[in-house]
Amino acid sequence: MAKTQYSLTDDPARLGKPTGFRITVTEVYGSAGAGFVVAKTGDIMTMPGLPRMPAAEGMAVTPSGEIVGLS
């Protein structure tokens, strides 16, 4: 479960390991490639996934040393 790095709760004022709290889930989505469900809580940013084909697949260096495929 994604959460803020400060606490187990979504209330930033309750640091540490509080008891008797509820977590507010703001978004739930499936991560098909990884095979699990993601539940986001609080203010958190996630990293984007990688494409099926890396950009390096379209890059090359010619015999004269010119780099091609950079856009």
Side-chain angles (χ1 to χ4, degrees), residues 17-32:
K17 189 176 177 186
T19 59
F21 63 91
R22 292 177 183 247
I23 291 180
T24 305
V25 176
T26 57
E27 183 179 351
V28 177
Y29 60 91
S31 181

Side-chain angles (χ1 to χ4, degrees), residues 43-71:
D43 289 331
I44 191 163
M45 293 175 23
T46 58
M47 294 180 65
L50 298 174
R52 290 188 184 266
M53 181 185 302
E57 290 287 324
M59 298 176 195
V61 179
T62 65
S64 64
E66 180 186 1
I67 301 172
V68 295
L70 298 176
S71 326

